[in-house]
Amino acid sequence: MKRALITGITGQDGSYLADFLLGKGYEVHGIIRRASTFNTARIDHLYQDPHVHGVRLFLHYGDLADSVHLVKLLYSLQPDEIYHLGAQSHVRVSFEIPEYTADVTGIGTIRILEAVREAGVKPRFYQASSSEMFGKVQEVPQTEKTPFWPRSPYGVAKVFSYWATVNYRESYGLHASNGILFNHESPRRGETFVTRKISRSVARIKCGLDKELYLGNLEARRDWGYAPEYVQGMWLMLQQDRPDDYILATNETHSVREFVELAFDRVGLDWKEFVKHDQRYERPAEVDLLIGDATKAKKMLSWEPQVKFEELVRIMVDADLALIESQHETAKSE
């Protein structure tokens, strides 16, 4: 039985990856931060029916700022694969807490790479890199050879982590790969990220719970895919004989405005009646256009996205509608 360690297991990608790896027969370990409230909602379903996977999911308290604990944990677990997804991952928030973002999202990667060396283990390592590294894009579409020009503290920290991963691969012979993932969304997306903010607000407006949705730049264009498909790409990278760096993307770009239009259309409403602009959601430096070329991943990993933009919007809006209706029924019965 292979053993995998996931940082950021309670996030969108971490939870889908845990689902996927357990389905593959892995023993899965995750690092979570200590909090005064429960923060495991995205993976709680994995414990509800122990007959599905058996007892093969284990959570450990830890923090990417605590290198000593990381060494001890890796020495104890001896993982076959490490998926490093943990980060301060909100781009707009990174402008408000740049030092913390640099420490956790950037230096945190060095800490876990050093922990691998100090513990004397030889796992295959996946680094969650980001399309935000391209920032002020130097070519369209973006490939693995496109120069980086990050436009946020988050993007800068991810560039640091990317090159740290390459450096440790070349310096110490680690099987370490970067997955340069373009935007990938799902019903498990955090509620402060723009796609989930839109789908959740659309559902609440449709149900009469809200009257307005405040957004920033509607013209920003992104390459949006479906998160469960992207975690499969992460796994495929670590199954290769040689480590390498890969883009995962749909090779389509759509604006925030298009997402809004489709989301409101899904519930039969005119978005212009409900969407308002709020300057607070604008970034100091905007990334105007992202579109990725995943030709290398298709050729080398046989990976190709199936869920495209329109279906993604439909999945998210329908899920939030079902969630709010379920909450409403629960409230009525109490």
Side-chain angles (χ1 to χ4, degrees):
M1 183 186 300
K2 281 189 176 181
R3 180 176 296 164
L5 174 65
I6 304 172
T7 70
I9 193 172
T10 58
Q12 170 189 256
D13 291 5
S15 67
Y16 281 122
L17 181 60
D19 277 331
F20 179 80
L21 293 177
L22 288 169
K24 288 283 186 184
Y26 279 64
E27 178 181 297
V28 176
H29 295 257
I31 298 176
I32 62 172
R33 285 175 295 173
R34 169 70 175 84
S36 59
T37 57
F38 292 112
N39 58 359
T40 58
R42 293 185 181 94
I43 55 174
D44 284 346
H45 66 282
L46 297 175
Y47 290 104
Q48 290 170 2
D49 186 356
H51 300 292
V52 175
H53 297 301
V55 185
R56 289 191 284 108
L57 175 63
F58 305 89
L59 300 180
H60 309 267
Y61 285 122
D63 197 295
L64 292 173
D66 186 348
S67 56
V68 173
H69 178 72
L70 290 174
V71 174
K72 291 179 178 178
L73 187 61
L74 292 183
Y75 184 79
S76 171
L77 294 180
Q78 300 281 313
D80 299 292
E81 297 172 1
I82 296 175
Y83 296 87
H84 179 39
L85 313 181
Q88 189 302 100
S89 59
H90 198 288
V91 178
R92 180 63 186 85
V93 171
S94 76
F95 284 99
E96 299 174 14
I97 49 172
E99 184 178 340
Y100 175 79
T101 300
D103 185 39
V104 174
T105 307
I107 305 300
T109 303
I110 285 286
R111 292 191 183 105
I112 196 164
L113 286 167
E114 270 297 289
V116 168
R117 292 206 317 121
E118 288 296 320
V121 294
K122 289 288 185 180
R124 296 189 173 194
F125 181 86
Y126 171 83
Q127 163 61 22
S129 291
S130 168
S131 59
E132 287 288 330
M133 300 188 302
F134 295 118
K136 187 176 180 181
V137 298
Q138 301 302 291
E139 63 179 351
V140 178
Q142 292 86 58
T143 73
E144 289 83 1
K145 297 185 182 300
T146 302
F148 301 137
W149 192 320
R151 299 269 283 171
S152 66
Y154 170 78
V156 170
K158 281 294 187 181
V159 170
F160 178 92
S161 290
Y162 172 93
W163 285 117
T165 301
V166 172
N167 181 251
Y168 273 66
R169 179 171 73 211
E170 295 177 350
S171 300
Y172 305 113
L174 297 184
H175 192 297
S177 297
N178 281 290
I180 307 173
L181 273 56
F182 281 64
N183 294 63
H184 46 289
E185 319 296 320
S186 75
R188 296 185 193 174
R189 190 56 142 153
E191 294 175 357
T192 60
F193 289 83
V194 67
T195 52
R196 183 72 195 288
K197 181 179 178 180
I198 293 168
S199 64
R200 182 173 181 271
S201 291
V202 165
R204 289 181 60 83
I205 290 170
K206 180 63 176 178
C207 294
L209 300 175
D210 287 340
K211 295 182 179 179
E212 295 173 323
L213 166 59
Y214 289 91
L215 296 171
N217 181 14
L218 295 182
E219 307 312 320
R221 302 184 68 86
R222 295 292 184 270
D223 184 323
W224 275 304
Y226 187 42
E229 297 180 341
Y230 284 54
V231 301
Q232 295 179 34
M234 299 176 187
W235 176 78
L236 286 168
M237 292 178 205
L238 297 199
Q239 309 317 304
Q240 306 307 302
D241 292 336
R242 295 174 178 269
D244 207 343
D245 309 316
Y246 301 89
I247 281 177
L248 299 186
T250 69
N251 198 33
E252 293 183 8
T253 186
H254 298 274
S255 67
V256 175
R257 185 187 300 274
E258 289 176 75
F259 199 106
V260 169
E261 290 173 350
L262 283 175
F264 276 94
D265 283 347
R266 182 65 180 166
V267 297
L269 296 175
D270 182 355
W271 70 275
K272 294 178 182 177
E273 296 179 11
F274 304 98
V275 175
K276 311 293 182 184
H277 180 262
D278 190 329
Q279 184 66 33
R280 291 177 299 173
Y281 298 121
E282 299 275 359
R283 301 180 186 178
E286 183 58 80
V287 174
D288 297 316
L289 167 67
L290 292 174
I291 177 171
D293 182 348
T295 299
K296 181 178 177 180
K298 181 178 179 180
K299 178 182 179 181
M300 304 298 294
L301 308 177
S302 297
W303 181 90
E304 192 170 9
Q306 302 302 314
V307 175
K308 295 302 177 68
F309 182 68
E310 291 79 5
E311 185 179 355
L312 172 65
V313 176
R314 185 164 63 249
I315 289 170
M316 293 184 67
V317 171
D318 289 356
D320 272 322
L321 273 173
L323 177 62
I324 288 176
E325 289 169 357
S326 173
Q327 292 171 343
H328 181 64
E329 289 299 317
T330 300
K332 283 170 57 178
S333 63
E334 291 179 349

